[in-house]
């Protein structure tokens, strides 16, 4: 049982098998959706695969797991009392604290009685005669619901590459996205970690602090900015809480739904000395806003290189062995893959017991009972850590056998990439909503405000339907096509769509290459959603 939770199971689960809404997932999206729909008087059932709430923060318990968005902004704003009373302790919250917060919210709003834990939804089928969803779970039970709401998360389907011999490994294997609940000791152990994305960058310094030997298998070097994490100053917290609503409102006017000062200057047009000063300031402040130094960093390759070169120089300054420094220095566009935030990542490679292996030069051939075998040699290890990421944005949805009108399968519909209207609805899948689905700003923003915006839009829509006596809503095909076209067009304007990242599905073999999130920014997106409502749900048809 989760130590942070008062009780993971509701004392008595609601015995109904017919609901107004079924919500899949009890992360931040599912929890708030449940709260909102209950306020409308709807009967709801949430199905959650884990044994507790928290989603991402329930699963990703690897050492060093921490949010890269500042705590004061990475939290719900729907309840003024909640945001006033909750006390974050650090600038960037560690995973246990965020999980504690999720549990607090579940207790505070008495959410657990409508959540069925340890239950995976295996299929959701639209019943055209009854205009409702038939939902089946892994315990072979079925429920019926008018609405089926996907709160399945964007980074929730862990990717385990098919390494030959993985099953033959005699030691322990841990995926960062499915980390055990009890503490895993790396003391005196020889550890191998595959991957150098955000999860690896956060965990490598922690693993190195315990392990006898750490082998890091790198395929692509990544950019990371120091977090400069610190305890939150009471003065700063007081100032924010004195006008929390003001901060939240400012954040909503920014592309990433974060209250930051937007850049006005171009990197190209700024004098090199000035430019470096700006980068230095942001480097010492730390965090993802490093990329907000200049307005053209993500639009112009030359501008981008000024920021990338600055970070490469920092790597050379930090890592003592020039060969290792060279290997750690990324050569691609900075910010193209999601920028990482770290504590002591580069410095970890100065430790004698940490070794970096370039799997481009010496590829992993297979996993043996003793360890990792590359084209060069066998690396004997006791523990294998897979920090190999996720089947992002579509993975969790497509794991469920979802069938819409005339039995059409979502897997088929999305074979060439996800198609949705506003990242909220899918044509031919009536009465289904996706919270922060592909085609919405989601992972390019602070997730909490994006989740809240979607939840409030969906509950507003259901309230409207109930008032008008409407049973069924469906996105129109032409509206979906226009939106997908728009999502692609804006993506093409950014350097972010140009590299092999999980944003484009490049990390999953055989996955269609499409830039999945909406890059037009949170305010523009919200404006569009609001306009759709004002025009009586333009782009939707009702039955
Ligand atoms: P990421 O960012 O997708 O990183 C996964 C890492 O694993 C990345 O370095 C990959 O290299 C590497 N990888 C994946 N498959 C392999 C194989 N087969 N061989 C070697 N290396 C491999 O996932 P994270 O969990 O770190 O972070 C996901 C997001 O969570 C992050 O962006 C934050 O938003 C929070 P590659 O780059 O593909 O060459």
């Amino acid at each position: 049982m989760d130590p942070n939770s008062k009780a993971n199971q509701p004392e008595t689960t609601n015995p109904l098998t017919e609901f107004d809404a079924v919500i899949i997932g009890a992360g931040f999206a599912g929890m708030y959706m449940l709260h909102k729909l209950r306020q409308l008087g709807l009967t709801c059932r949430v199905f959650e695969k884990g044994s507790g709430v928290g989603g991402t923060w329930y699963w990703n318990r690897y050492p060093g797991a921490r949010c890269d968005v500042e705590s004061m902004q990475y939290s719900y704003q729907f309840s003024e009392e909640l945001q006033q009373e909750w006390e974050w302790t650090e600038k960037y919250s560690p995973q246990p604290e965020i999980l504690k917060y999720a549990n607090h919210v579940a207790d505070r709003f008495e959410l657990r009685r409508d959540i069925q834990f340890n239950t995976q939804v295996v299929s959701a089928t639209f019943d055209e005669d009854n205009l409702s969803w038939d939902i089946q779970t892994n315990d072979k039970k079925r429920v019926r619901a008018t609405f089926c709401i996907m709160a399945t998360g964007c980074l929730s389907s862990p990717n385990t590459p098919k390494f030959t011999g993985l099953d033959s490994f005699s030691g322990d294997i841990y995926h960062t996205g499915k980390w055990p609940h009890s503490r895993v000791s790396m003391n005196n152990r020889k550890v191998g970690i595959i991957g150098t994305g955000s999860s690896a960058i956060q965990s490598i310094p922690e693993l190195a602090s315990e392990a006898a030997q750490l082998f890091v298998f790198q395929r692509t070097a990544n950019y990371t900015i120091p977090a400069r994490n610190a305890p939150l100053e009471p003065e700063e917290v007081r100032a924010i809480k004195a006008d929390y609503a003001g901060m939240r409102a400012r954040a909503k006017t920014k592309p990433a739904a974060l209250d930051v000062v937007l850049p006005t200057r171009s990197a190209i047009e700024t004098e090199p000395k000035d430019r470096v000063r700006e980068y230095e300031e942001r480097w010492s402040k730390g965090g993802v806003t490093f990329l907000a130094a200049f307005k053209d960093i993500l639009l112009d390759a030359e501008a981008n290189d000024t920021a990338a070169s600055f970070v490469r120089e920092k790597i050379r300054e930090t890592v003592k062995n020039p060969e290792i420094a060279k290997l750690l220095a990324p050569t691609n566009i900075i910010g193209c893959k999601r920028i990482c935030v770290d504590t002591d990542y580069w410095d970890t490679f100065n430790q004698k017991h940490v070794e970096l292996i370039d799997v481009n030069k010496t590829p992993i051939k297979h996993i043996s009972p003793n360890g990792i075998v590359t084209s060069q040699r066998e690396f004997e290890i006791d523990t294998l850590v897979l920090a190999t990421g996720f089947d992002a944005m579509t993975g969790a949805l497509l794991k469920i056998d979802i069938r819409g009108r005339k039995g059409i399968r979502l897997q088929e519909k999305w074979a060439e990439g996800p198609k949705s209207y506003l990242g909220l609805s899918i044509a031919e899948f009536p009465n289904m909503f996706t919270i922060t689905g592909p085609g919405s700003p989601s992972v390019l923003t602070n997730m909490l405000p994006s989740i809240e915006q979607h939840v409030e839009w969906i509950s507003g829509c259901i309230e409207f339907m109930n008032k008008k006596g409407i049973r069924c809503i469906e996105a129109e095909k032409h509206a979906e096509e226009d939106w997908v076209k728009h999502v692609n067009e804006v993506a093409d304007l950014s350097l972010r769509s140009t590299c092999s990242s999980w944003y484009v599905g490049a990390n999953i073999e055989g996955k269609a290459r499409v830039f999945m999130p909406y890059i037009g920014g949170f305010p523009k997106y919200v404006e569009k959603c609001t306009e759709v409502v004002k025009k009586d749900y333009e782009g939707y048809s009702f039955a």
Side-chain angles (χ1 to χ4, degrees):
M1 175 166 289
D2 193 320
N4 293 319
S5 162
K6 269 192 201 161
N8 282 321
Q9 290 290 355
E11 274 162 27
T12 48
T13 310
N14 186 335
L16 288 182
T17 53
E18 292 211 8
F19 298 92
D20 294 319
V22 155
I23 299 162
I24 306 177
F28 284 126
M31 288 200 291
Y32 184 38
M33 192 76 249
L34 171 62
H35 178 63
K36 279 304 275 186
L37 293 185
R38 268 195 197 159
Q39 285 179 332
L40 293 182
L42 267 62
T43 55
C44 304
R45 163 70 54 88
V46 180
F47 290 113
E48 167 57 52
K49 186 175 159 195
S51 63
V53 296
T56 287
W57 304 104
Y58 170 91
W59 296 103
N60 287 265
R61 298 169 188 239
Y62 59 84
R66 194 178 281 285
C67 190
D68 58 9
V69 173
E70 292 187 19
S71 320
M72 296 300 289
Q73 300 204 54
Y74 189 84
S75 50
Y76 286 124
Q77 57 190 287
F78 70 83
S79 160
E80 180 62 13
E81 293 78 18
L82 171 67
Q83 68 177 0
Q84 287 297 335
E85 286 168 26
W86 182 262
E87 285 175 21
W88 296 107
T89 60
E90 295 178 52
K91 182 175 170 191
Y92 296 102
S93 298
Q95 173 271 334
E97 190 164 314
I98 307 176
L99 187 59
K100 198 168 154 200
Y101 172 73
N103 277 294
H104 169 78
V105 172
D107 293 336
R108 188 176 182 121
F109 298 99
E110 296 177 12
L111 300 179
R112 286 194 178 80
R113 68 170 188 269
D114 288 320
I115 307 177
Q116 186 177 319
F117 293 104
N118 304 305
T119 310
Q120 206 171 342
V121 170
V122 291
S123 70
T125 310
F126 187 66
D127 174 345
E128 293 197 60
D129 297 331
N130 290 305
L131 299 179
S132 64
W133 285 90
D134 181 2
I135 289 146
Q136 192 167 338
T137 48
N138 60 341
D139 51 6
K140 303 240 168 0
K141 297 215 170 98
R142 291 163 77 155
V143 297
R144 183 171 287 282
T146 308
F147 298 101
C148 178
I149 302 176
M150 300 301 190
T152 42
C154 296
L155 293 157
S156 48
S157 178
N159 166 42
T160 300
K162 294 185 186 79
F163 293 114
T164 311
L166 190 60
D167 289 343
S168 73
F169 182 59
S170 59
D172 300 317
I173 304 179
Y174 304 109
H175 192 293
T176 48
K178 285 189 284 191
W179 201 263
H181 289 199
S182 51
R183 195 184 118 70
V184 179
S185 170
M186 299 291 171
N187 246 331
N188 296 322
R189 294 182 80 85
K190 282 186 271 175
V191 180
I193 179 166
I194 302 179
T196 48
S198 172
S199 305
I201 283 174
Q202 289 189 333
S203 57
I204 283 169
E206 301 279 332
L207 296 173
S209 72
E210 275 196 25
Q213 177 84 46
L214 180 65
F215 299 111
V216 179
F217 294 83
Q218 171 182 281
R219 188 164 69 181
T220 312
N222 238 315
Y223 294 96
T224 174
I225 309 296
R228 315 276 181 218
N229 186 39
L232 270 169
E233 293 297 331
E235 264 316 301
E236 191 190 341
V237 174
R238 254 196 300 277
I240 291 173
K241 286 190 173 176
D243 182 25
Y244 225 144
M247 178 203 242
R248 302 295 201 177
R250 282 193 304 278
K252 285 180 184 170
T253 66
K254 309 289 161 67
L258 272 174
D259 183 26
V260 291
V261 179
L262 293 182
T264 50
R265 296 190 297 168
S266 138
I268 300 294
E269 288 161 15
T270 302
E271 283 295 313
K273 257 190 179 168
D274 258 13
R275 199 163 57 205
V276 171
R277 194 177 311 125
E278 180 73 35
Y279 288 140
E280 283 290 359
E281 267 173 33
R282 288 181 184 259
W283 185 262
S284 31
K285 192 165 165 270
V288 291
T289 53
F290 178 82
L291 286 182
F294 297 101
K295 61 182 180 184
D296 45 1
I297 290 181
L298 289 169
L299 296 172
D300 180 288
E302 201 187 328
N304 190 279
D305 196 53
T306 63
S309 304
F310 177 88
V311 177
R312 284 193 287 264
E313 187 53 39
K314 289 288 178 198
I315 299 169
R316 282 190 287 272
E317 279 170 22
T318 314
V319 180
K320 297 197 177 93
N321 180 328
E323 284 303 305
I324 305 288
K326 195 171 166 208
L327 211 53
L328 285 169
T331 49
N332 51 1
I333 299 280
I334 186 169
C336 194
K337 289 190 175 200
R338 195 183 149 119
I339 190 104
C340 304
V341 170
D342 73 283
T343 300
D344 299 333
Y345 178 64
W346 310 121
D347 205 26
T348 303
F349 292 90
N350 290 324
Q351 299 178 37
K352 280 206 178 70
H353 69 300
V354 179
E355 192 175 325
L356 183 66
I357 297 106
D358 177 3
V359 303
N360 296 304
K361 215 161 132 199
T362 55
I364 297 174
K365 291 282 182 201
H366 64 273
I367 309 292
S368 70
N370 298 329
I372 300 174
V373 181
T374 69
S375 59
Q376 184 205 18
R377 56 171 271 217
E378 179 176 60
F379 292 83
E380 274 188 27
I381 52 171
D382 308 303
T383 305
L384 172 59
V385 177
L386 298 171
T388 43
F390 300 88
D391 183 354
M393 305 212 67
T394 56
L397 286 166
L398 296 181
K399 264 188 184 165
I400 305 169
D401 183 7
I402 304 173
R403 292 171 194 243
R405 274 195 199 284
K406 300 190 180 74
I408 179 173
R409 299 177 68 210
L410 191 62
Q411 279 102 331
E412 277 165 40
K413 172 156 179 162
W414 282 8
E416 276 151 39
K419 294 183 182 73
S420 83
Y421 184 37
L422 304 171
L424 271 166
S425 312
I426 305 162
E428 298 165 290
F429 294 78
N431 283 7
M432 172 174 279
F433 295 104
T434 50
I435 303 177
T436 64
S440 73
S442 58
V443 290
L444 300 176
T445 63
N446 177 6
M447 285 303 287
L448 266 288
S450 277
I451 284 172
E452 286 186 317
Q453 186 258 337
H454 265 194
V455 166
E456 285 160 18
W457 193 95
I458 294 165
S459 62
C461 174
I462 293 177
E463 188 178 15
F464 168 84
M465 289 171 69
N466 285 351
K467 274 192 189 145
K468 299 257 179 190
I470 299 167
R471 284 263 349 242
C472 190
I473 179 169
E474 183 178 352
E476 290 171 350
K477 268 194 178 166
H478 73 90
E480 182 176 87
E481 277 159 20
D482 289 351
W483 182 250
V484 171
K485 194 164 159 250
H486 175 62
V487 170
N488 292 331
E489 277 167 3
V490 233
D492 288 344
L493 300 175
S494 167
L495 293 174
R496 271 184 162 154
S497 60
T498 60
C499 68
S500 301
S501 66
W502 57 256
Y503 290 135
V504 298
N507 62 329
I508 303 296
E509 220 183 300
K511 189 165 174 174
R513 272 213 180 202
V514 174
F515 192 83
M516 294 181 285
Y518 175 61
I519 205 168
F522 185 80
K524 276 239 169 316
Y525 174 78
V526 176
E527 195 184 305
K528 169 72 183 174
C529 291
T530 311
E531 188 190 294
V532 165
V533 176
K534 273 199 192 132
K535 293 185 177 166
D536 294 329
Y537 291 89
E538 186 182 46
Y540 283 96
S541 59
F542 291 108

